[in-house]
Amino acid sequence: MVGAVQDVDVTSGFIDDSYPGHDLEERGKSLYKEILPSDLDIPFNPERHLALQDPGRFVSLAQLGYDDSISHRTVSHVAYSTPFRMLSDEGVEVLQRVLTLLEKYSRSSERIPSMVRGGVFRSQFIRGLATDPSISQFVSRHFNVSVVPHTIPHQLAHINYAPKELGRAVDLWHVDNVALDYVLFTTNTLDLEGGAFEVFRGTREEAALLHSQNLSLPPNRIDQWKAPAGYAILQQGHHVVHRAAPLLAPAKRVTFVNSFVPKDPNFPEASAPRILRAVDDENVVATEWALHRALRARAQLNSLIAQSDYSRPTEFYLERIKAIRDDLTAAYDLLLPENEGKEDHFGGHHDTKEKRVDASENQEREEL
């Protein structure tokens, strides 16, 4: 177990009532024609559809090999949890029905063969699940940091479907383009042949180095997790190298990934438009990135306003104004068109077909 969890206030900070999250339904009508009709989609009700239980165990970033030198780039010392129950039986039934209806709108990318984006715009049930305050409180408590649903709406309710091609990974080895998220198993994975959620017991830098050398991640350093439908895993996805392993026999495997952002606007930014461009249309990326960073800048300005006092020296204001300016300059630079869409990953397309050397075998040969 990694430390005791604490109650964390999620009532103020990054987001206030003026954030257009309440307007997701109306915004969705201008983005998508593929919105589920009300007779096939019901409102999310946390009292009926949630069955939250605390995770049994957590793994820390230190246990993955990270040291204090990355503390300025992290939001918590927690890396990930073991699977825990999130949804009730009724919640699972409704979500499975909704995700089955949405699958016909799936698209692909270099990294992910079958996915649906923009789930919060397409379904009222998904919208309620992805933005439910009690889940935000739950995530905040276990990471010991105050969070809200991600302020880039397409970072909410990302859905992965297993590809029809057996032996092909559902998702490659990667780290997430967000700070914190949960991966919700919407189908039972316990009896599947393959299809495990896998975590590399190492750092993202180590995974990148092995991939650059055409080496696979060592199997003896990979943890595999399976769970019943309705169970989830919390993770600091920006620093946890993970993938969804290939299915080895035909089966239905669907996961629902929902992301969060710290309410403190001074935490490091984990997202990048370059990666979003690989999976979303340019108008979506530009609008949501600008909104996300404007909210962050507004929170920083509100903090400066609240701290202003005649007794403070000029240096106090220069330092804070410069930090806000630099943060906006970084947001501008990241959105420039030359930052073309590209998904980062560390391989892992196939378990049996990919002709790569196992890193542990390579080490053994070097020792000989």
Side-chain angles (χ1 to χ4, degrees):
M1 180 72 72
V2 178
V5 296
Q6 304 170 4
D7 289 329
V8 180
D9 174 44
V10 292
T11 60
S12 62
F14 198 177
I15 306 304
D16 59 32
D17 291 340
S18 65
Y19 171 60
H22 66 277
D23 197 33
L24 289 173
E25 181 178 5
E26 289 303 313
R27 285 171 170 253
K29 293 176 182 177
S30 67
L31 273 178
Y32 297 106
K33 296 179 181 178
E34 311 92 351
I35 296 176
L36 296 185
S38 57
D39 59 330
L40 298 176
D41 190 22
I42 66 172
F44 177 78
N45 183 336
E47 293 185 0
R48 289 171 48 193
H49 300 135
L50 285 183
L52 280 170
Q53 298 176 355
D54 289 336
R57 185 168 63 87
F58 294 86
V59 174
S60 70
L61 290 175
Q63 289 173 294
L64 296 184
Y66 291 103
D67 57 32
D68 291 341
S69 65
I70 68 155
S71 60
H72 66 288
R73 294 190 283 119
T74 64
V75 299
S76 172
H77 66 285
V78 174
Y80 67 94
S81 75
T82 53
F84 62 93
R85 185 165 188 178
M86 175 174 281
L87 297 183
S88 67
D89 291 343
E90 182 181 356
V92 169
E93 180 182 349
V94 176
L95 185 57
Q96 286 179 341
R97 181 174 72 245
V98 167
L99 298 188
T100 297
L101 291 170
L102 290 178
E103 186 173 8
K104 61 184 176 182
Y105 307 121
S106 64
R107 58 200 297 182
S108 63
S109 69
E110 177 187 356
R111 205 189 81 200
I112 306 170
S114 182
M115 63 179 166
V116 165
R117 301 278 290 170
V120 291
F121 297 109
R122 302 173 186 265
S123 159
Q124 62 176 331
F125 183 85
I126 287 179
R127 188 160 52 249
L129 171 60
T131 60
D132 180 70
S134 62
I135 297 178
S136 295
Q137 178 69 63
F138 180 89
V139 174
S140 297
R141 185 163 58 89
H142 285 293
F143 281 109
N144 288 331
V145 59
S146 184
V147 305
V148 291
H150 209 292
T151 47
I152 297 177
H154 275 72
Q155 297 286 53
L156 301 170
H158 171 98
I159 305 154
N160 283 335
Y161 299 89
K164 300 190 185 314
E165 177 189 350
L166 292 181
R168 181 178 180 183
V170 181
D171 196 351
L172 304 184
W173 287 110
H174 67 283
V175 294
D176 291 332
N177 192 35
V178 297
L180 304 171
D181 58 82
Y182 65 74
V183 179
L184 173 61
F185 300 87
T186 72
T187 50
N188 184 359
T189 61
L190 292 175
D191 298 324
L192 296 182
E193 292 186 46
F197 178 81
E198 296 184 326
V199 176
F200 172 53
R201 294 197 308 274
T203 67
R204 55 184 292 168
E205 291 77 17
E206 186 178 3
L209 177 62
L210 291 171
H211 183 60
S212 70
Q213 297 172 339
N214 203 39
L215 300 176
S216 297
L217 301 183
N220 61 352
R221 294 177 58 194
I222 294 173
D223 291 331
Q224 295 187 328
W225 300 100
K226 293 186 176 182
Y231 279 63
I233 289 175
L234 294 173
Q235 62 172 349
Q236 189 168 179
H238 199 53
H239 296 286
V240 176
V241 178
H242 58 284
R243 76 160 183 169
L247 287 173
L248 304 179
K252 191 174 184 67
R253 184 196 187 279
V254 185
T255 50
F256 176 98
V257 184
N258 202 58
S259 304
F260 300 84
V261 62
K263 295 190 77 173
D264 184 341
N266 298 308
F267 270 113
E269 176 64 72
S271 299
R274 171 180 61 82
I275 297 175
L276 294 171
R277 282 182 168 126
V279 292
D280 296 322
D281 294 337
E282 181 64 22
N283 64 316
V284 169
V285 173
T287 300
E288 295 189 352
W289 177 254
L291 171 63
H292 166 67
R293 293 304 289 254
L295 288 166
R296 177 181 169 102
R298 185 180 66 183
Q300 293 169 341
L301 288 167
N302 285 341
S303 176
L304 174 58
I305 292 169
Q307 295 178 73
S308 63
D309 188 275
Y310 290 113
S311 64
R312 297 193 184 279
T314 301
E315 289 73 18
F316 172 86
Y317 297 104
L318 288 173
E319 178 183 322
R320 281 153 182 78
I321 292 171
K322 181 179 184 300
I324 296 169
R325 182 197 67 184
D326 291 348
D327 203 55
L328 283 171
T329 299
Y332 173 88
D333 291 342
L334 288 168
L335 190 58
L336 289 171
E338 52 261 38
N339 295 312
E340 297 179 0
K342 177 174 173 54
E343 291 176 290
D344 298 328
H345 64 80
F346 311 119
H349 289 79
H350 301 89
D351 280 349
T352 56
K353 297 180 181 178
E354 193 170 33
K355 294 182 179 179
R356 296 171 65 85
V357 179
D358 187 314
S360 57
E361 294 176 359
N362 186 68
Q363 182 178 5
E364 289 174 3
R365 286 200 298 268
E366 289 179 354
E367 291 174 351
L368 291 174

